[in-house]
Amino acid sequence: MSTKVKLIVILSLIGFIAFCIYQLTSLDVSVQSVNQSAEEHSPVLPIEDENDTSNTFKESKLTPSKNEEVLEYKADVKAITPAEYLPPIAKSTHDEQRYSGDLNDYQAYEAFHHEKDRALKQAYIQAATEKISVLEQLLQRGKEANLPKDQLQEAIDKIDALKNMQNVLIQELDTSQSTR
């Protein structure tokens, strides 16, 4: 073996030994702290008898004697109360349309999905129209209240985005109707 390999092996062994010593010392410290805390909170106490020299243990009384100090533990725990709002646990009342035709009839199945897609696009267009009118009213109130330009610009950008998406969906509906 070359001297470089021997040096690497020796340094690796030294590192491993140092790691093991570190682990053993941290383990010893944690075992000591566990033993100390167990002795402090243990319900088992030695019996002090002048005649008895053996170390026998019996369970101690749960109530402290007159000489022992009583420790009270107060926890900052809130009482369990019912939640302010619990959402209803029920099946959805929204009836989703399901295809009830023959699955082997590809054209009917595709027509069903096209109709479902068309209804979704029309619902978006209608909802966007209503939302745009609400946002335009809020934008006007914001201008009257002299809101900062960045907030007004954000509202304008949202209105433009809704209008653009609405126009895209209208064009898609027009092209799909013209191809049929």
Side-chain angles (χ1 to χ4, degrees):
M1 269 203 300
S2 71
T3 56
K4 289 182 181 179
V5 173
K6 289 179 184 177
L7 183 63
I8 291 174
V9 170
I10 291 172
L11 289 176
S12 299
L13 287 175
I14 291 172
F16 178 72
I17 292 171
F19 177 75
C20 290
I21 291 171
Y22 171 76
Q23 290 295 326
L24 289 175
T25 56
S26 64
L27 180 66
D28 185 39
V29 170
S30 64
V31 168
Q32 287 176 356
S33 64
V34 168
N35 287 339
Q36 287 174 355
S37 65
E39 289 172 2
E40 292 172 0
H41 303 292
S42 174
V44 178
L45 299 175
I47 298 174
E48 295 180 14
D49 187 8
E50 296 171 359
N51 299 331
D52 190 13
T53 58
S54 66
N55 289 333
T56 58
F57 291 89
K58 291 186 179 178
E59 288 186 341
S60 68
K61 301 180 281 180
L62 294 178
T63 57
S65 67
K66 294 179 183 176
N67 297 336
E68 296 176 0
E69 184 179 320
V70 177
L71 298 176
E72 292 185 24
Y73 295 101
K74 294 182 180 179
D76 295 332
V77 178
K78 294 181 181 179
I80 298 175
T81 58
E84 293 176 14
Y85 170 73
L86 291 175
I89 300 175
K91 290 187 177 182
S92 175
T93 58
H94 176 46
D95 294 328
E96 184 177 326
Q97 294 178 347
R98 295 179 183 239
Y99 182 69
S100 59
D102 184 17
L103 292 176
N104 290 328
D105 188 2
Y106 176 75
Q107 292 174 345
Y109 186 73
E110 188 177 62
F112 169 78
H113 280 289
H114 281 296
E115 179 59 30
K116 196 172 178 182
D117 186 50
R118 187 192 59 76
L120 178 67
K121 289 177 182 177
Q122 286 179 338
Y124 182 91
I125 291 169
Q126 179 63 33
T129 303
E130 294 169 6
K131 188 67 174 182
I132 289 170
S133 66
V134 170
L135 288 176
E136 285 175 342
Q137 291 172 359
L138 290 174
L139 178 63
Q140 185 60 35
R141 285 180 47 200
K143 287 179 182 177
E144 292 170 2
N146 294 325
L147 288 179
K149 290 184 179 181
D150 58 334
Q151 288 181 349
L152 296 175
Q153 187 59 43
E154 183 179 344
I156 292 170
D157 292 342
K158 287 182 181 183
I159 292 170
D160 289 342
L162 283 171
K163 286 181 178 178
N164 289 339
M165 188 64 189
Q166 190 179 36
N167 290 333
V168 167
L169 293 176
I170 289 172
Q171 289 175 357
E172 286 180 8
L173 285 175
D174 288 344
T175 58
S176 68
Q177 288 177 356
S178 65
T179 57
R180 288 185 172 228

